Amino acid sequence: MSRIDAKFAQLRADGKKAFVAYVMAGDPDYDKGLEIVKGLPDAGVDIIELGVPFTDPMADGATIQLAGQRALEAGQTLEKTLQYAREFRKNDDTTPIVMMGYYNPIYSRGVDVFLKDAVAAGIDGLIIVDLPPEEDEELCIPAQAAGINFIRLATPTTDDKRLPKVLQNTSGFVYYVSVTGITGTAEAQAGDVAPEVARIKAKTDLPVIVGFGIKTPQAAENIASIADGAVVGSAIVDKIGKGESVADVLAFVKSLADGTHRG
């Protein structure tokens, strides 16, 4: 059983929904970014989404783009992001880590080399936003064979004809993008999201986690009430970008986690 599967089994047993927090590795710099990541489990985070900075982040809004720029300017690389996982695993062997980003840095490193390094570092899942199901042979299938979950995005435009293709080789959980467009823009509405989550859950036994447009503890609670959990990224990254202290960032994360766990 993967760490992700084990986490969801534990949450189900506890009657809780999953809180997933996204942060950009290396933002605002290596040391402060790592301190935040290490503090996430104690703030109530069930699964960590670790962003890999990239020069052309087409799916991301301004907040995440700026975080990526800060990280790149501070010298963050794919290797240093793997090092985050290695450092984290010294003290935590249960919290799942999902790397989220784009295919180019992985392709440049070499898929086989990357997967070997990712497994050794303790990475549990991948979300690669620019690899559609038609490209599963590139990374998805090799990742699954290596024991890493490959998590797919479903969106409001994923119709019933497309959905089976999206779900075909997905594992870990399904990430439902609650709003059309880029990260950090429109606000997710539980009433709009509920029928979409139900539609996906009718086609898969995997947990369905909702992200994009969740900015407050109340919004996280509302979304968690109709899904298996909530993802918050831009709202957390915005606090980091404003230079808030690690303690203040983690206090905000805890408020989001508490909201989700009430859902």
Side-chain angles (χ1 to χ4, degrees):
M1 184 183 279
S2 72
R3 285 190 190 92
I4 294 174
D5 294 338
K7 178 60 70 174
F8 279 109
Q10 175 203 322
L11 288 165
R12 277 192 297 273
D14 294 342
K16 281 181 166 183
K17 303 300 180 71
F19 179 60
V20 184
Y22 170 97
V23 292
M24 179 68 72
D27 178 34
D29 55 58
Y30 183 91
D31 290 335
K32 186 173 180 180
L34 181 57
E35 190 179 349
I36 291 168
V37 169
K38 285 181 173 180
L40 292 175
D42 283 344
V45 174
D46 298 302
I47 299 173
I48 296 168
E49 264 183 31
L50 197 54
V52 181
F54 182 52
T55 51
D56 187 24
M58 60 184 182
D60 295 312
T63 300
I64 304 286
Q65 284 193 21
L66 287 168
Q69 288 174 17
R70 288 191 297 268
L72 289 169
E73 286 166 9
Q76 191 72 11
T77 60
L78 178 58
E79 171 55 33
K80 287 184 177 180
T81 303
L82 289 167
Q83 187 59 29
Y84 263 39
R86 296 183 198 109
E87 293 292 335
F88 182 87
R89 287 285 173 235
K90 289 178 181 177
N91 298 306
D92 187 320
D93 196 41
T94 57
T95 303
I97 301 175
V98 175
M99 289 180 78
M100 184 171 186
Y102 298 83
Y103 185 44
N104 186 276
I106 294 170
Y107 177 79
S108 298
R109 191 181 186 93
V111 167
D112 292 344
V113 172
F114 167 75
L115 290 175
K116 182 182 173 189
D117 292 346
V119 169
I123 298 297
D124 302 291
L126 298 173
I127 301 174
I128 307 300
V129 297
D130 56 346
L131 274 183
E134 286 75 15
E135 306 293 337
D136 275 356
E137 297 290 342
E138 286 281 328
L139 180 61
C140 172
I141 290 169
Q144 309 261 37
I148 294 178
N149 289 133
F150 201 88
I151 296 146
R152 190 82 70 192
L153 302 176
T155 74
T157 59
T158 305
D159 60 21
D160 288 338
K161 185 179 176 184
R162 180 68 174 166
L163 186 58
K165 188 76 173 174
V166 169
L167 296 174
Q168 184 174 288
N169 291 314
T170 299
S171 64
F173 59 89
V174 179
Y175 187 137
Y176 180 68
V177 176
S178 62
V179 294
T180 53
I182 54 177
T183 59
T185 50
E187 197 153 320
Q189 301 296 329
D192 297 333
V193 173
E196 293 298 301
V197 170
R199 182 170 68 93
I200 296 166
K201 287 180 78 67
K203 302 289 187 183
T204 180
D205 293 331
L206 292 171
V208 179
I209 306 299
V210 175
F212 285 47
I214 303 169
K215 302 173 183 178
T216 66
Q218 185 61 55
E221 180 178 349
N222 294 344
I223 290 295
S225 72
I226 54 90
D228 294 303
V231 186
V232 179
S234 294
I236 298 168
V237 171
D238 184 57
K239 299 272 185 189
I240 297 169
K242 287 176 177 172
E244 295 194 14
S245 69
V246 171
D248 285 347
V249 170
L250 293 175
F252 176 62
V253 170
K254 186 175 187 309
S255 73
L256 295 164
D258 289 346
T260 303
H261 292 146
R262 286 193 299 268

mmCIF file of all heavy atoms in Angstrom, residues 5 12 150 167 169-174 200-201 203-209 228:
data_model
loop_
_atom_site.group_PDB
_atom_site.id
_atom_site.type_symbol
_atom_site.label_atom_id
_atom_site.label_comp_id
_atom_site.label_asym_id
_atom_site.label_seq_id
_atom_site.Cartn_x
_atom_site.Cartn_y
_atom_site.Cartn_z
ATOM 1 N N ASP A 5 -2.354 5.820 -0.363
ATOM 2 C CA ASP A 5 -3.454 4.892 -0.056
ATOM 3 C C ASP A 5 -3.616 4.738 1.453
ATOM 4 O O ASP A 5 -4.742 4.709 1.971
ATOM 5 C CB ASP A 5 -3.193 3.521 -0.687
ATOM 6 C CG ASP A 5 -3.216 3.557 -2.208
ATOM 7 O OD1 ASP A 5 -3.821 4.482 -2.772
ATOM 8 O OD2 ASP A 5 -2.615 2.652 -2.826
ATOM 9 N N ARG A 12 -10.332 7.820 6.328
ATOM 10 C CA ARG A 12 -11.669 7.217 6.289
ATOM 11 C C ARG A 12 -12.015 6.591 7.643
ATOM 12 O O ARG A 12 -13.136 6.740 8.139
ATOM 13 C CB ARG A 12 -11.747 6.155 5.184
ATOM 14 C CG ARG A 12 -12.033 6.717 3.807
ATOM 15 C CD ARG A 12 -12.390 5.617 2.826
ATOM 16 N NE ARG A 12 -11.295 4.675 2.603
ATOM 17 C CZ ARG A 12 -10.342 4.832 1.697
ATOM 18 N NH1 ARG A 12 -10.335 5.898 0.910
ATOM 19 N NH2 ARG A 12 -9.390 3.926 1.560
ATOM 20 N N PHE A 150 0.457 8.168 -10.096
ATOM 21 C CA PHE A 150 0.346 9.225 -11.106
ATOM 22 C C PHE A 150 -1.061 9.788 -11.011
ATOM 23 O O PHE A 150 -2.040 9.098 -11.283
ATOM 24 C CB PHE A 150 0.626 8.681 -12.509
ATOM 25 C CG PHE A 150 1.013 9.742 -13.493
ATOM 26 C CD1 PHE A 150 2.331 10.127 -13.645
ATOM 27 C CD2 PHE A 150 0.042 10.375 -14.276
ATOM 28 C CE1 PHE A 150 2.694 11.120 -14.546
ATOM 29 C CE2 PHE A 150 0.389 11.357 -15.176
ATOM 30 C CZ PHE A 150 1.723 11.736 -15.311
ATOM 31 N N LEU A 167 -9.204 8.811 -16.383
ATOM 32 C CA LEU A 167 -9.129 7.921 -15.217
ATOM 33 C C LEU A 167 -8.319 6.660 -15.478
ATOM 34 O O LEU A 167 -7.911 5.977 -14.534
ATOM 35 C CB LEU A 167 -10.549 7.520 -14.788
ATOM 36 C CG LEU A 167 -11.447 8.657 -14.298
ATOM 37 C CD1 LEU A 167 -12.858 8.123 -14.058
ATOM 38 C CD2 LEU A 167 -10.897 9.304 -13.045
ATOM 39 N N ASN A 169 -5.300 5.418 -16.263
ATOM 40 C CA ASN A 169 -4.060 5.022 -15.566
ATOM 41 C C ASN A 169 -3.794 5.875 -14.331
ATOM 42 O O ASN A 169 -2.658 5.943 -13.856
ATOM 43 C CB ASN A 169 -2.872 5.100 -16.525
ATOM 44 C CG ASN A 169 -2.939 4.030 -17.601
ATOM 45 O OD1 ASN A 169 -3.197 2.865 -17.315
ATOM 46 N ND2 ASN A 169 -2.744 4.422 -18.853
ATOM 47 N N THR A 170 -4.833 6.508 -13.815
ATOM 48 C CA THR A 170 -4.682 7.351 -12.634
ATOM 49 C C THR A 170 -4.636 6.489 -11.374
ATOM 50 O O THR A 170 -5.313 5.469 -11.299
ATOM 51 C CB THR A 170 -5.856 8.345 -12.548
ATOM 52 O OG1 THR A 170 -5.852 9.169 -13.710
ATOM 53 C CG2 THR A 170 -5.764 9.231 -11.325
ATOM 54 N N SER A 171 -3.850 6.910 -10.400
ATOM 55 C CA SER A 171 -3.826 6.210 -9.106
ATOM 56 C C SER A 171 -3.598 7.223 -7.995
ATOM 57 O O SER A 171 -3.235 8.373 -8.252
ATOM 58 C CB SER A 171 -2.726 5.140 -9.092
ATOM 59 O OG SER A 171 -1.450 5.723 -9.216
ATOM 60 N N GLY A 172 -3.830 6.797 -6.760
ATOM 61 C CA GLY A 172 -3.656 7.703 -5.618
ATOM 62 C C GLY A 172 -4.939 8.450 -5.330
ATOM 63 O O GLY A 172 -5.646 8.173 -4.384
ATOM 64 N N PHE A 173 -5.212 9.449 -6.157
ATOM 65 C CA PHE A 173 -6.481 10.175 -6.096
ATOM 66 C C PHE A 173 -6.673 10.922 -7.406
ATOM 67 O O PHE A 173 -5.758 11.029 -8.215
ATOM 68 C CB PHE A 173 -6.553 11.130 -4.893
ATOM 69 C CG PHE A 173 -5.488 12.205 -4.830
ATOM 70 C CD1 PHE A 173 -5.662 13.452 -5.437
ATOM 71 C CD2 PHE A 173 -4.305 11.996 -4.115
ATOM 72 C CE1 PHE A 173 -4.698 14.452 -5.347
ATOM 73 C CE2 PHE A 173 -3.335 12.983 -4.022
ATOM 74 C CZ PHE A 173 -3.527 14.219 -4.642
ATOM 75 N N VAL A 174 -7.887 11.402 -7.608
ATOM 76 C CA VAL A 174 -8.188 12.264 -8.751
ATOM 77 C C VAL A 174 -8.239 13.694 -8.244
ATOM 78 O O VAL A 174 -8.870 13.980 -7.218
ATOM 79 C CB VAL A 174 -9.538 11.894 -9.406
ATOM 80 C CG1 VAL A 174 -9.840 12.825 -10.578
ATOM 81 C CG2 VAL A 174 -9.533 10.444 -9.864
ATOM 82 N N ILE A 200 -17.658 12.069 -11.227
ATOM 83 C CA ILE A 200 -16.356 11.385 -11.268
ATOM 84 C C ILE A 200 -16.377 10.157 -10.361
ATOM 85 O O ILE A 200 -15.908 9.079 -10.738
ATOM 86 C CB ILE A 200 -15.232 12.355 -10.862
ATOM 87 C CG1 ILE A 200 -15.131 13.499 -11.878
ATOM 88 C CG2 ILE A 200 -13.894 11.620 -10.763
ATOM 89 C CD1 ILE A 200 -14.294 14.671 -11.404
ATOM 90 N N LYS A 201 -16.947 10.311 -9.164
ATOM 91 C CA LYS A 201 -16.959 9.204 -8.200
ATOM 92 C C LYS A 201 -17.795 8.021 -8.703
ATOM 93 O O LYS A 201 -17.554 6.882 -8.310
ATOM 94 C CB LYS A 201 -17.464 9.691 -6.843
ATOM 95 C CG LYS A 201 -16.438 10.561 -6.110
ATOM 96 C CD LYS A 201 -16.937 11.036 -4.768
ATOM 97 C CE LYS A 201 -16.853 9.962 -3.711
ATOM 98 N NZ LYS A 201 -15.457 9.605 -3.378
ATOM 99 N N LYS A 203 -17.522 6.885 -11.564
ATOM 100 C CA LYS A 203 -16.680 6.189 -12.544
ATOM 101 C C LYS A 203 -15.385 5.636 -11.955
ATOM 102 O O LYS A 203 -14.612 4.989 -12.656
ATOM 103 C CB LYS A 203 -16.312 7.152 -13.688
ATOM 104 C CG LYS A 203 -17.508 7.752 -14.418
ATOM 105 C CD LYS A 203 -18.223 6.719 -15.254
ATOM 106 C CE LYS A 203 -19.314 7.357 -16.102
ATOM 107 N NZ LYS A 203 -20.061 6.351 -16.878
ATOM 108 N N THR A 204 -15.123 5.923 -10.671
ATOM 109 C CA THR A 204 -13.855 5.477 -10.082
ATOM 110 C C THR A 204 -14.022 5.260 -8.576
ATOM 111 O O THR A 204 -14.860 5.914 -7.937
ATOM 112 C CB THR A 204 -12.727 6.494 -10.325
ATOM 113 O OG1 THR A 204 -11.514 6.013 -9.725
ATOM 114 C CG2 THR A 204 -13.043 7.864 -9.726
ATOM 115 N N ASP A 205 -13.217 4.354 -8.032
ATOM 116 C CA ASP A 205 -13.182 4.150 -6.582
ATOM 117 C C ASP A 205 -12.139 5.040 -5.911
ATOM 118 O O ASP A 205 -12.018 5.033 -4.683
ATOM 119 C CB ASP A 205 -12.856 2.685 -6.270
ATOM 120 C CG ASP A 205 -13.973 1.740 -6.697
ATOM 121 O OD1 ASP A 205 -15.145 2.170 -6.698
ATOM 122 O OD2 ASP A 205 -13.671 0.584 -7.044
ATOM 123 N N LEU A 206 -11.386 5.787 -6.700
ATOM 124 C CA LEU A 206 -10.349 6.651 -6.136
ATOM 125 C C LEU A 206 -10.971 7.843 -5.404
ATOM 126 O O LEU A 206 -12.038 8.330 -5.789
ATOM 127 C CB LEU A 206 -9.437 7.183 -7.245
ATOM 128 C CG LEU A 206 -8.537 6.172 -7.953
ATOM 129 C CD1 LEU A 206 -7.880 6.835 -9.163
ATOM 130 C CD2 LEU A 206 -7.472 5.632 -7.007
ATOM 131 N N PRO A 207 -10.300 8.342 -4.359
ATOM 132 C CA PRO A 207 -10.754 9.585 -3.738
ATOM 133 C C PRO A 207 -10.711 10.737 -4.749
ATOM 134 O O PRO A 207 -9.843 10.761 -5.625
ATOM 135 C CB PRO A 207 -9.738 9.822 -2.609
ATOM 136 C CG PRO A 207 -9.080 8.503 -2.387
ATOM 137 C CD PRO A 207 -9.097 7.798 -3.698
ATOM 138 N N VAL A 208 -11.638 11.664 -4.613
ATOM 139 C CA VAL A 208 -11.665 12.856 -5.470
ATOM 140 C C VAL A 208 -11.401 14.071 -4.578
ATOM 141 O O VAL A 208 -12.171 14.370 -3.667
ATOM 142 C CB VAL A 208 -13.009 13.006 -6.202
ATOM 143 C CG1 VAL A 208 -13.009 14.271 -7.066
ATOM 144 C CG2 VAL A 208 -13.285 11.774 -7.066
ATOM 145 N N ILE A 209 -10.290 14.743 -4.868
ATOM 146 C CA ILE A 209 -9.863 15.913 -4.104
ATOM 147 C C ILE A 209 -10.064 17.146 -4.988
ATOM 148 O O ILE A 209 -9.760 17.113 -6.179
ATOM 149 C CB ILE A 209 -8.377 15.793 -3.717
ATOM 150 C CG1 ILE A 209 -8.119 14.480 -2.978
ATOM 151 C CG2 ILE A 209 -7.929 16.974 -2.863
ATOM 152 C CD1 ILE A 209 -8.881 14.330 -1.711
ATOM 153 N N ASP A 228 -13.715 14.342 -1.202
ATOM 154 C CA ASP A 228 -12.891 13.586 -0.257
ATOM 155 C C ASP A 228 -11.793 14.430 0.366
ATOM 156 O O ASP A 228 -11.004 13.941 1.179
ATOM 157 C CB ASP A 228 -12.276 12.375 -0.964
ATOM 158 C CG ASP A 228 -13.346 11.384 -1.392
ATOM 159 O OD1 ASP A 228 -14.099 10.914 -0.528
ATOM 160 O OD2 ASP A 228 -13.442 11.096 -2.604
#
